[in-house]
Amino acid sequence: MENGRRSDKGRVPRATRLLEVDAWIDSTLYEAGFKLSETWENITIFFRRFRVYGPQRAVVEFFSEGVTLIAAGAVIMLALAMPAFEETAGDWRVQDDYAVTFLDRYGNEIGQRGIIQRDSVPVGEMPDHVVKAVLATEDRRFYEHFGIDFFGLLRAMNENVRANTIVQGGSTITQQLAKNLFLTNERTMERKIKEAFLAIWLEANLSKREILQFYLDRAYLGGGTFGIAAAADFYFDKEVKDLDLAEAAMIAGLFKAPARYAPHINLPAARARANEVLSNLVQSGFMTEGQVLSARLNPASAVDRGKHDSPDYFLDWAFEQVKEIAPDGATHSLVARTTFDPDLQHAVEESLEYHLRQYGEDYDVSQGAAVVLETNGAVRAIVGGRDYGQSQFNRATRAVRQPGSSFKPYVYATAMEAGFEPGSVISDGPISWGNWSPQNYTRRYAGRVDLATALIHSYNTVPVRLARDHLGIEPIQKLTKAMGVETELNGHKTMVLGTSGMTVMDQVTAYSVFANGGFAGTRHGIRQLLTHSGKVVYDDARDTPAPHRVLSQQAVSAMNSILVQVPERGTGRRAALPMARSAGKTGTTQSYRDGWYVGYTGNYVAAVWLGNDDYHPTNRMTGGSLPAMVWQRFMAYAHRNIELKPIPGIENPLLERDETVVAATDGAAGETDDLGTRTRILPPATKDVLDGLLERFRSAPALEQNGGPEAVSAL
């Protein structure tokens, strides 16, 4: 008993143990805190020795904040640099070894593309005055900067302020090469940031000589030529090694604006520009006035090439197509038979330029693009901008712009596939989809309307209600892609009103499904690829998959029956043609940044976009105004003297042709040539002058002769 009680007394109670643990934790934390405070006090005492007061403290604070800002800036710069460096993925050093000669649909040569390696002359073998002329004009401090020339930029800004206009550019040769190799000509802040980073990256990865070599080999110099070797051959029928100073100055002057200063187009302007290059040589210290005097007194003359009107935007696009479809193992020196129509190309270019000159300032719009297809998918014309010499960026195939209401036909086509009909009634009234509440353009609502009326008058709430309540976003995306839209759609609910960007080529390809009876997969620009010996290595009719149906016949008929009314009583009345019924849709984006008209007949499909490269809004330009007018002018010309075909699935597909109306249509003047083909457009101003002269001749009094018939016979 006693032993048992002792044993119990020897045990430590559980509560006591917990108290011991708690005490140990408390003491440990206290001691640790004490040690930390003691250490911190020692550190503080130590750094007090370096504390400064008065003006010295201001300097220290300034540099301290500077270090902080530099660190933050470095993080931001790294974030901005990452997208730029992604552009360098792949073997960018390898030049395309394709050399392609392009023929139009009639077999006439229209240009070449591809860099032939033997034409690349090493910088070290070029005459000294050729290299100096380029450097003096484009980047005289080329060998002193690291890709970005801040001194040159300040000098250019100063000269531009003094001249009150842009007379000098601040981009270095390295920056221009970065743009040519990796970027586009779009005037956006993103592109300029990428250009700056890529310029520094090029300087780190290439020698100065390599950078200069790439630049001289790849710059566009007018006349469809790329590189200084090709330009020397085209303009002077010489090799680079044989260029004299006057000729070198004229070529060096082309880098700034090849279309404006090309000697085969405007020799006086080319000579004036060459004289500026000679002055640059003197001002930069590369040559003396005495050395350039002979070139000033004896300016260069270019070889007469006749009228050389190269369809460069089409050729750029077609060259990319060749590289995609050329069979593996085939020779890269090829002849491409294309679908290009030079007369139709000229008509589209003329219509775009005519309307931009007439109305561009009023609408505050400066650029445009257009693509024309035959309903069989053959690409007949591409206009990627107003002036290829000023900007080689192809706005028809590469610029991604919001389509606005011209996207709505894809929504309605999805609805037709889902069982809706043009007469199906749906509410046009206020609607909210989450926190998004779209409104109609007029801010008014029509109540219950049929789908045909809603699309003809471009009501906004109806396609939103279709997508929200009946279709969903995914089926619309899927059908739009199946119809030929290659640009990735964002899939947001606002997409149904055209907020997801697309290209002009996307639009014309997808709308061709309506004109082609519901079949996709027909677009092509290359008919055949041949070797120079005549061997066919690619044939579109033989080597491409057969067209496939993406819209049912019922859906096509329904959509065409609606869209044909848009230019007759809807938003596209300025696009109505005088000789045949057409179908189409207008598109206007937020803040009037983009204006579209996409339309078709039984013969052609065409898309027109107008806007500004820097995305600034136009002056309330809608798709039914200037874009529809551009479309109508060249499409009226395109349908002259051809067999008119009906749009599939509509009633009364052809109008009775009124010759008086057709003759009065802008851009439809001209006689039929001996071959019965369409003639070139006669500009309205020229036609007015000629009509006036003709009227004056007709009303002029008869010529009185003195001396009778003998005098007349003597004449």
Side-chain angles (χ1 to χ4, degrees), residues 138 220-222 231 235 249-263 270 273 277 389:
E138 296 300 309
Y220 178 70
L221 295 174
Y235 293 118
M250 189 168 286
I251 289 181
L254 295 173
F255 286 88
K256 179 180 180 181
R260 188 188 311 168
Y261 300 121
R273 175 64 176 162
V277 173

Side-chain angles (χ1 to χ4, degrees), residues 8 24 82 190 239 322 359 443 534 633 657 711:
D8 291 339
W24 179 83
M82 293 304 293
E190 180 184 3
E239 294 185 6
V322 168
Y359 307 107
R443 300 296 190 271
R633 182 178 176 87
R657 182 164 179 165

Side-chain angles (χ1 to χ4, degrees), residues 278-512:
L278 296 174
S279 297
N280 291 336
L281 281 166
V282 176
Q283 293 172 5
S284 62
F286 292 163
M287 287 188 175
T288 65
E289 185 62 44
Q291 289 175 305
V292 304
L293 181 59
S294 177
R296 290 191 194 275
L297 297 177
N298 301 284
S301 295
V303 174
D304 185 7
R305 297 289 184 184
K307 182 170 177 57
H308 185 83
D309 193 11
S310 177
D312 292 306
Y313 288 116
F314 180 91
L315 292 176
D316 287 349
W317 175 77
F319 186 49
E320 294 302 317
Q321 300 299 300
V322 168
K323 290 187 286 186
E324 290 179 7
I325 65 178
D328 293 336
T331 176
H332 286 187
S333 182
L334 298 166
V335 176
R337 291 177 177 169
T338 73
T339 58
F340 178 75
D341 187 326
D343 289 337
L344 193 50
Q345 175 77 21
H346 178 79
V348 182
E349 290 174 349
E350 188 275 344
S351 180
L352 179 65
E353 186 62 25
Y354 169 76
H355 284 94
L356 286 176
R357 286 189 178 184
Q358 290 282 344
Y359 307 107
E361 186 174 347
D362 294 337
Y363 282 106
D364 190 17
V365 57
S366 59
Q367 270 297 352
V371 178
V372 182
L373 272 66
E374 254 188 66
T375 51
N376 63 6
V379 180
R380 297 301 187 199
I382 295 177
V383 177
R386 297 181 68 177
D387 189 340
Y388 187 84
Q390 289 186 354
S391 171
Q392 292 86 57
F393 177 61
N394 195 332
R395 297 159 186 82
T397 61
R398 301 184 68 183
V400 177
R401 307 292 295 229
Q402 291 184 352
S405 293
S406 63
F407 186 88
K408 291 175 183 176
Y410 309 127
V411 181
Y412 283 81
T414 308
M416 299 303 164
E417 287 291 333
F420 285 83
E421 297 178 352
S424 299
V425 176
I426 197 167
S427 174
D428 171 40
I431 185 173
S432 293
W433 192 348
N435 58 359
W436 180 46
S437 300
Q439 296 178 318
N440 289 332
Y441 178 76
T442 60
R443 300 296 190 271
R444 296 192 297 269
Y445 301 98
R448 292 180 61 80
V449 295
D450 58 62
L451 294 187
T453 301
L455 182 54
I456 291 167
H457 296 290
S458 200
Y459 298 151
N460 286 337
T461 65
V462 173
V464 174
R465 186 165 275 109
L466 283 172
R468 186 194 69 175
D469 299 339
H470 304 283
L471 304 175
I473 292 296
E474 187 176 348
I476 299 172
Q477 272 186 295
K478 185 176 179 180
L479 179 62
T480 305
K481 185 176 181 179
M483 292 176 69
V485 173
E486 297 176 355
T487 307
E488 192 69 28
L489 301 176
N490 60 29
H492 193 266
K493 56 193 173 188
T494 60
M495 179 192 73
V496 299
L497 296 185
T499 61
S500 187
M502 302 167 70
T503 66
V504 179
M505 185 64 80
D506 282 335
Q507 290 271 61
V508 76
T509 302
Y511 272 65
S512 69

